[in-house]
């Protein structure tokens, strides 16, 4: 009987530990929002089919970049009626398109991410659905109508003809949307959402949704990222992060000749009104921008792209890498179709991104320390500091050598170049080669 009792106890313990709906490893914890380094996955650059498995197969290479959060673009069944093969044209919120794999494939990717110390968030499209989504016929009142109230319309003012605009005056639709979002948190175990066109959806809906999602997650933390720049994403909706669109737009202008000091103004404008603890996502490219031009072209060349990345992530954190930029992919990527990427190309670019994210992770001062700026026309100059460390960052935004004045309090000090470990004593000026950047401690 004692042996039988022991066997029963062991079996009971094993059953209790068996992975369930969204059992997440106790060792895994979602990073604090200020510490996130995010990697965006466009499944269509990983494989023409079963791409979720292809992403999982590359998990070591992705994690070795130093990122701790993966954002996966929409993987739901794609609309056919009026469709253009856009992953943002969704026919079913609780399923996965065969092109990408199965629900078990995605659950495996979630598991693999957690085992590698990475969170995973999923793209969510709440603004609209495909025209052949079942809701269109079953609940036509869940959609926005034209002035005559007899025809469902596409989202305005964008005129996206392949999708139907949802009506957020309808309470039942809101509840169905939140229910679908809960499915991925509770049944699959993801760590939050990146919410598409968040500014196009009422902030009070996001408040209800995020409140219920956090309750459904229980003791687990979730991360909510809004694709938008409205302040009410935070003050009403409850998001953790939203987009640094204005900063990115200014970055492009600066690399085309506008004063480098305009970046200081853009950074200040985005953060002056931001509630404490909230973060702007900073990037040099993403799926929308890469459709038109890749960063190595947008910022002149690979050196320009790398210096722009430094100018993006170190003033205030919020680092994003779009899958393909770590190998310096040189062509536009149309995310409406499969685009093969050579993951072995430009290993030196991969190593440089890896080093930058390593510094980002290792030194809290660099990602969330206090910021002191020194305006210059051709070089972005700023200091990052916390109680333990102080850094001076200089980024030449021009494709020619520029000489810049060193801040007075740094002149004469011994410094270490964090990228090369070389030590030197600072003079009152320093010449920077085309698109050169320095991270000095």
């Amino acid at each position: 009987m004692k042996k039988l009792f022991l066997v029963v106890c062991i079996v009971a313990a094993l059953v209790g530990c068996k992975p369930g709906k969204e059992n997440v490893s106790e060792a895994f914890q979602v990073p604090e929002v200020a510490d996130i380094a995010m990697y965006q996955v466009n499944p269509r650059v990983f494989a023409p089919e079963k791409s979720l498995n292809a992403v999982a197969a590359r998990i070591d290479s992705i994690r070795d970049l130093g990122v701790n959060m993966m954002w996966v673009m929409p993987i739901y069944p794609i609309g056919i009626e009026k469709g253009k093969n856009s992953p943002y044209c969704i026919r079913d919120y609780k399923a996965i398109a065969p092109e990408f794999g199965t629900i078990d494939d995605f659950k495996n990717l979630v598991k693999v991410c957690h085992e590698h110390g990475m969170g995973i968030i999923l793209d969510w499209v709440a603004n609209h659905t495909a025209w052949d989504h079942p809701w269109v016929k079953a609940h036509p009142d869940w959609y926005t109508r034209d002035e005559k109230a007899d025809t469902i319309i596409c989202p305005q003012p964008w005129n996206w003809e392949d999708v139907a605009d949802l009506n957020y005056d309808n309470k039942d639709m809101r509840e169905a949307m939140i229910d679908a979002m809960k499915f991925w948190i509770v049944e699959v175990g993801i760590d939050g959402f990146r919410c598409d066109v968040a500014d196009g959806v009422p902030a009070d809906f996001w408040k209800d949704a995020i409140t219920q999602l956090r309750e459904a997650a229980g003791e687990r933390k979730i991360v909510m990222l809004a694709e938008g720049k409205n302040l009410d994403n935070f003050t009403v909706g409850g998001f953790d992060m939203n987009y640094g669109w204005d900063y990115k737009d200014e970055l492009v202008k600066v690399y085309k000749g506008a004063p480098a000091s305009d970046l200081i103004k853009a950074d200040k404008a985005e953060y002056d009104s931001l509630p404490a603890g909230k973060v702007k996502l900073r990037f040099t490219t993403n799926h929308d921008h890469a459709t038109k031009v890749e960063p190595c072209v947008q910022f002149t060349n690979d050196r320009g792209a790398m210096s722009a990345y430094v100018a993006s992530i170190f003033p205030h954190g919020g680092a994003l890498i779009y899958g393909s930029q770590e190998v310096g992919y040189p062509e536009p990527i149309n995310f409406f179709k499969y685009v093969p990427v050579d993951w072995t190309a430009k290993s030196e670019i991969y190593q440089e991104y890896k080093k930058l994210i390593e510094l980002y992770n290792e030194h809290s001062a660099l990602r969330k320390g206090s910021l002191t700026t020194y305006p210059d026309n051709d070089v972005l100059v700023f200091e990052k500091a916390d109680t333990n460390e102080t850094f001076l960052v200089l980024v030449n935004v021009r494709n020619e050598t520029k000489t810049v004045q060193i801040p007075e309090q740094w002149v004469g000090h011994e410094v270490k170049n964090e990228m090369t470990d070389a030590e030197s004593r600072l003079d009152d000026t320093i010449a920077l080669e085309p698109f050169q950047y320095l991270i000095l401690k």
Side-chain angles (χ1 to χ4, degrees):
M1 287 298 293
K2 288 182 179 179
K3 290 182 178 179
L4 178 60
F5 179 73
L6 180 60
V7 170
V8 171
C9 289
I10 291 172
V11 171
L14 290 173
V15 170
C17 294
K18 184 179 179 180
K21 292 180 180 178
E22 42 51 87
N23 286 359
V24 179
S25 168
E26 292 182 3
F28 174 75
Q29 294 291 334
V30 171
E32 296 295 329
V33 63
D35 298 329
I36 286 176
M38 190 175 296
Y39 185 89
Q40 181 186 357
V41 166
N42 170 7
R44 284 175 166 168
V45 303
F46 285 84
E49 59 183 15
K50 295 290 185 180
S51 49
L52 291 174
N53 289 339
V55 176
R58 289 201 55 79
I59 195 70
D60 289 332
S61 177
I62 294 171
R63 183 62 187 91
D64 285 351
L65 282 168
V67 295
N68 52 26
M69 183 66 69
M70 178 184 289
W71 149 29
V72 181
M73 288 172 62
I75 52 177
Y76 319 97
I78 295 170
I80 298 173
E81 183 180 347
K82 301 183 183 180
K84 300 178 181 178
N85 205 31
S86 167
Y88 291 88
C89 177
I90 294 168
R91 190 159 40 93
D92 186 344
Y93 282 116
K94 291 185 179 181
I96 290 179
E99 170 192 347
F100 305 121
T102 67
I103 190 71
D104 286 337
D105 293 335
F106 186 63
K107 286 181 178 180
N108 178 65
L109 180 59
V110 173
K111 177 176 177 287
V112 166
C113 281
H114 290 162
E115 289 174 345
H116 285 73
M118 296 172 61
I120 180 169
I121 63 174
L122 188 55
D123 227 317
W124 193 258
V125 186
N127 183 71
H128 49 263
T129 74
W131 289 98
D132 45 2
H133 191 292
W135 289 357
V136 174
K137 290 184 177 180
H139 305 285
D141 55 323
W142 290 10
Y143 291 85
T144 308
R145 305 298 190 95
D146 61 11
E147 294 179 355
K148 296 181 180 180
D150 58 0
T151 303
I152 296 174
I153 63 173
C154 62
Q156 302 298 320
W158 305 286
N159 289 321
W160 295 327
E161 296 178 355
D162 60 330
V163 290
D165 191 60
L166 285 164
N167 173 21
Y168 274 84
D169 291 333
N170 190 291
K171 181 180 178 181
D172 292 336
M173 186 278 292
R174 288 182 174 223
E175 292 177 354
M177 183 68 70
I178 295 172
D179 175 73
M181 297 179 81
K182 285 181 182 178
F183 169 81
W184 297 96
I185 296 289
V186 176
E187 301 293 331
V188 182
I190 67 169
D191 303 298
F193 293 99
R194 176 266 187 191
C195 296
D196 187 63
V197 199
D199 291 351
V201 174
D204 68 312
F205 166 78
W206 292 125
K207 179 181 179 181
D208 291 342
I210 292 172
T211 298
Q212 292 189 45
L213 292 175
R214 296 197 194 282
E215 290 174 353
E219 295 182 359
R220 295 170 49 214
K221 289 193 303 181
I222 62 171
V223 174
M224 299 297 295
L225 164 63
E227 187 213 13
K229 60 182 183 180
N230 288 350
L231 185 60
D232 61 10
N233 293 154
F234 301 124
T235 57
V236 178
F239 280 97
D240 302 297
M241 309 175 74
N242 77 355
Y243 268 44
W245 281 124
D246 291 341
Y247 191 85
K248 168 63 195 318
D249 290 344
E250 204 60 51
L251 192 69
V252 173
K253 293 177 184 176
V254 164
Y255 274 72
K256 290 182 177 179
S261 55
D262 284 359
L263 285 172
I264 296 173
K265 298 175 185 176
D267 177 79
K268 187 174 187 300
E270 285 193 337
Y271 268 87
D272 268 359
S273 58
L274 213 63
K278 306 299 184 179
V279 173
K280 285 281 186 178
L281 187 71
R282 292 277 172 82
F283 47 86
T284 54
T285 191
N286 55 35
H287 65 285
D288 285 315
H289 288 180
T291 298
K292 301 174 183 176
V293 61
E294 272 294 276
C296 58
V297 175
Q298 187 169 44
F299 299 104
T300 305
N301 54 33
D302 284 333
R303 298 316 316 147
M306 295 308 307
S307 68
Y309 192 69
V310 172
S312 295
I313 71 169
F314 288 119
H316 265 112
L320 172 71
I321 295 179
Y322 175 53
S324 69
Q325 80 177 90
E326 74 266 37
V327 292
Y329 190 80
E331 302 293 333
I333 294 177
N334 183 344
F335 63 90
F336 286 46
K337 63 182 181 180
Y338 169 61
V339 177
V341 168
D342 179 1
W343 299 105
T344 65
K346 298 184 180 179
S347 60
E348 71 282 1
I349 296 294
Y350 176 92
Q351 292 299 328
E352 191 169 357
Y353 277 113
K354 179 179 178 180
K355 179 63 176 179
L356 288 171
I357 296 297
E358 176 186 309
L359 294 175
Y360 181 93
N361 291 331
E362 182 179 350
H363 303 286
S364 63
L366 281 173
R367 65 182 182 276
K368 56 186 179 183
S370 62
L371 174 69
T372 304
T373 58
Y374 304 92
D376 185 86
N377 189 69
D378 300 308
V379 179
L380 179 64
V381 183
F382 59 93
E383 180 183 284
K384 295 297 297 290
D386 61 14
T387 55
N388 298 314
E389 299 176 307
T390 304
F391 296 86
L392 181 66
V393 181
L394 305 102
V395 184
N396 183 0
V397 300
R398 308 295 180 220
N399 195 20
E400 57 184 290
T401 300
K402 293 293 180 180
T403 299
V404 65
Q405 188 77 31
I406 295 297
E408 183 178 355
Q409 66 272 28
W410 284 80
V411 175
H413 279 275
E414 292 286 343
V415 296
K416 185 179 79 167
N417 183 328
E418 288 293 316
M419 293 296 289
T420 65
D421 290 332
E423 297 184 355
S424 62
R425 182 182 297 273
L426 286 179
D427 293 327
D428 56 353
T429 62
I430 191 168
L432 297 175
E433 296 176 1
F435 295 135
Q436 183 183 4
Y437 61 85
L438 295 174
I439 303 172
L440 306 175
K441 180 181 177 182

